[in-house]
Amino acid sequence: MSEQPSHSQNVSTPSVSNPQKRKKLLLIVAIIFILAIAVYAAWIVFFNRTEDTDNAYVGADTAQISAMVGGQVAQVLTQDTAYVRAGDILVKVDDRDAQIAVTQAQADLTKVKRQFGQTQANSGALNSQIQATDDAIQSQKAQLERARADVAKAQSDFKRREALNASGAISKEEYATSLNAFNTAKANLGVAEAGFQQALSNQKVAQSNLEANNALIKGTTQDSTPDVLVAQAKLDQAKLNLERTIVRAPVDGIVTNRNVQIGQVIAVGQSLMIVVPIHQMYVDANFKESQLTRVKVGQNVKLTSDLYGSDVVYHGKVIGFSGGTGAAFALIPAQNATGNWIKVVQRLPVRIALDPKELTQHPLRVGLSMNATVELQ
């Protein structure tokens, strides 16, 4: 009976110590959790100076080569994967029609210049014509004065014979002759007046023609008259179209997507090929929205490619941010206003410029994968 109390004491001891152990464990866990948060905060503030992503791809502002004139392709002087320099001939279009157009435009320009010279010569002829009408007017004026004098004389003779005829002093034949002479004089006066008015009208017509002719060439020379300028513009356009029958590379780069063949008839604006400027490339790095808090324009970026591996490091700079996420500009944007909506972390393209010298040493191609690390300074 004396051993029972000691047994009861042994049984009750573990029940008292277990809560104390739990408190100690919880305290230790809490301390560890607080330390982890502190370490993480310290790492974020003092040690996390970069943001990186492997969702990055090489891009370039490619040159789309299109036909500026239509016609049949005579020669294709390049192929896919070929490296070309700015100014190299890529395609030649049959230029015979263009040469004919140039010849026709040149002939039209020569014709218009000759017409301008003819117009200038017409001014001199019209001046001479006006002077001739002055002489004609003076001649018609003299004839008019003469006709008026003849009418006055015939009228006086007729009145005198009319008085004598009333008294029977002259014969009827003489009276009739006097009357006819008076009527003839009046008719001649009418003809003279008409001739004088015609001479005045001819002078006015000549003066109008001279003014109209001078209006065509007033203030201009043979090279500045409107008709010559229009003809010159057509000739320049024809020469430009002739030059455009030779398609040249606008930039240095690699030819891709060539879709033109010899003998093919092409139309204006038709795509012929693409030239990728491999020395002027950039990288679009798609960072998570939570990574962009401290990413700024002008920050340095280190990049590696899957093509060369980590041994080749490219150096670039952040030059801008896209105006929206990839989902925002997708062909079929996400419809988030639904009942089964699930939040997805979005990514925003960040444009990174690459060093042309490094691209020359280790060329890249459009679409290759890159790893980008932005230095947050």
Side-chain angles (χ1 to χ4, degrees):
M1 296 296 292
S2 61
E3 293 180 355
Q4 289 181 354
S6 62
H7 178 71
S8 62
Q9 289 178 356
N10 292 335
V11 172
S12 61
T13 300
S15 63
V16 176
S17 61
N18 285 337
Q20 294 178 351
K21 289 182 180 180
R22 290 195 193 97
K23 290 182 180 179
K24 289 181 180 180
L25 288 175
L26 290 175
L27 181 60
I28 293 172
V29 170
I31 293 173
I32 292 174
F33 181 73
I34 293 173
L35 289 175
I37 293 176
V39 169
Y40 179 75
W43 180 78
I44 290 294
V45 175
F46 300 104
F47 300 101
N48 183 22
R49 299 183 179 274
T50 61
E51 289 289 356
D52 61 82
T53 181
D54 58 359
N55 189 350
Y57 304 93
V58 179
D61 294 327
T62 58
Q64 183 76 42
I65 309 301
S66 301
M68 296 297 292
V69 294
Q72 187 177 37
V73 177
Q75 287 182 290
V76 179
L77 303 176
T78 188
Q79 59 185 0
D80 282 341
T81 72
Y83 180 79
V84 295
R85 296 188 179 276
D88 287 352
I89 298 176
L90 305 177
V91 177
K92 287 185 178 181
V93 181
D94 188 352
D95 63 355
R96 287 176 292 182
D97 290 337
Q99 289 178 349
I100 292 173
V102 170
T103 302
Q104 180 64 49
Q106 183 66 62
D108 291 342
L109 177 60
T110 302
K111 180 181 178 180
V112 171
K113 286 184 176 181
R114 288 182 178 178
Q115 288 176 345
F116 180 83
Q118 183 179 358
T119 303
Q120 285 182 318
N122 286 342
S123 294
L126 290 172
N127 278 322
S128 300
Q129 186 177 349
I130 291 174
Q131 292 178 359
T133 57
D134 285 338
D135 296 339
I137 289 173
Q138 295 301 322
S139 176
Q140 291 295 328
K141 186 176 181 181
Q143 292 181 13
L144 178 61
E145 294 297 330
R146 181 178 177 179
R148 286 172 178 171
D150 291 342
V151 168
K153 181 176 180 301
Q155 186 179 14
S156 177
D157 291 343
F158 173 71
K159 286 182 178 181
R160 191 167 52 253
R161 284 174 174 73
E162 187 178 24
L164 293 174
N165 182 55
S167 62
I170 60 173
S171 63
K172 292 182 178 180
E173 182 179 0
E174 186 176 357
Y175 174 76
T177 301
S178 174
L179 178 60
N180 290 334
F182 178 53
N183 290 332
T184 301
K186 289 194 295 183
N188 290 337
L189 177 61
V191 172
E193 288 178 345
F196 180 69
Q197 294 299 324
Q198 183 64 42
L200 291 176
S201 178
N202 290 340
Q203 187 179 58
K204 289 181 180 179
V205 170
Q207 288 176 341
S208 298
N209 290 337
L210 177 62
E211 291 174 358
N213 198 78
N214 288 337
L216 294 175
I217 60 176
K218 183 179 180 181
T220 62
T221 63
Q222 188 180 57
D223 295 329
S224 63
T225 185
D227 290 341
V228 172
L229 292 176
V230 171
Q232 183 66 56
K234 290 182 178 179
L235 176 60
D236 294 340
Q237 183 64 57
K239 289 181 177 179
L240 182 59
N241 290 339
L242 179 59
E243 292 179 4
R244 286 173 172 172
T245 59
I246 298 178
V247 181
R248 299 180 182 273
V251 295
D252 297 351
I254 300 295
V255 175
T256 186
N257 285 0
R258 197 201 82 173
N259 53 8
V260 59
Q261 303 295 334
I262 296 176
Q264 179 181 350
V265 177
I266 59 177
V268 177
Q270 180 175 336
S271 177
L272 304 180
M273 64 190 70
I274 296 174
V275 176
V276 181
I278 60 174
H279 302 307
Q280 302 174 12
M281 291 188 162
Y282 54 80
V283 170
D284 282 331
N286 302 301
F287 283 94
K288 295 179 182 179
E289 50 190 319
S290 57
Q291 294 180 288
L292 296 174
T293 304
R294 293 187 292 167
V295 177
K296 308 294 181 183
V297 173
Q299 290 174 338
N300 294 326
V301 185
K302 291 183 179 179
L303 306 103
T304 58
S305 69
D306 293 352
L307 176 64
Y308 298 108
S310 59
D311 293 337
V312 177
V313 178
Y314 295 88
H315 299 82
K317 284 186 179 295
V318 176
I319 60 174
F321 300 84
S322 176
T325 64
F329 296 116
L331 184 62
I332 303 178
Q335 298 297 323
N336 293 329
T338 59
N340 58 349
W341 172 75
I342 299 175
K343 181 176 180 179
V344 178
V345 176
Q346 301 297 314
R347 290 179 180 268
L348 185 73
V350 177
R351 180 65 56 87
I352 300 170
L354 297 176
D355 187 347
K357 294 181 179 179
E358 295 178 347
L359 286 173
T360 301
Q361 296 173 356
H362 299 93
L364 295 172
R365 296 295 185 270
V366 173
L368 292 180
S369 299
M370 301 287 287
N371 299 302
T373 302
V374 179
E375 299 177 355
L376 304 176
Q377 296 178 358

